[in-house]
């Protein structure tokens, strides 16, 4: 199941980022077994206006390469 939620603060403007999260659910537990952040972006548009600075300052997501 995929959801969007508020994430960490943007390193450039300190606005809470939006994260696309993949949740692995289990019938045996009311809580997700695992969460994978698939994408993250800044609602203020910092990821589009300053793409190089965004890549340098924000933590890597799983699957990103340094």
């Amino acid at each position: 199941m995929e959801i969007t939620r508020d994430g960490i603060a943007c390193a450039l403007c300190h606005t809470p980022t939006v994260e696309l999260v993949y949740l692995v659910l289990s019938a045996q537990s009311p809580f997700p077994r695992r969460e994978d952040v698939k994408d993250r972006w800044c609602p203020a548009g910092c990821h589009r206006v300053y793409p190089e600075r965004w890549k340098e300052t924000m933590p890597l997501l799983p699957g990103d390469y340094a």
Side-chain angles (χ1 to χ4, degrees):
M1 171 163 95
E2 289 186 346
I3 63 167
T4 56
R5 67 176 181 198
D6 288 343
I8 61 175
C10 174
L12 302 178
C13 70
H14 306 292
T15 303
T17 58
V18 179
E19 296 177 339
L20 176 64
V21 182
Y22 179 73
L23 301 175
V24 178
L25 304 175
S26 169
Q28 289 79 26
S29 173
F31 301 104
R33 287 184 18 209
R34 189 177 80 238
E35 296 183 352
D36 292 327
V37 179
K38 296 293 184 186
D39 196 10
R40 179 184 298 132
W41 63 92
C42 177
C46 294
H47 63 289
R48 283 181 273 153
V49 178
Y50 308 108
E52 291 303 316
R53 287 181 59 200
W54 172 266
K55 288 178 187 175
E56 290 173 5
T57 58
M58 294 302 290
L60 294 175
L61 296 172
D64 285 350
Y65 300 102

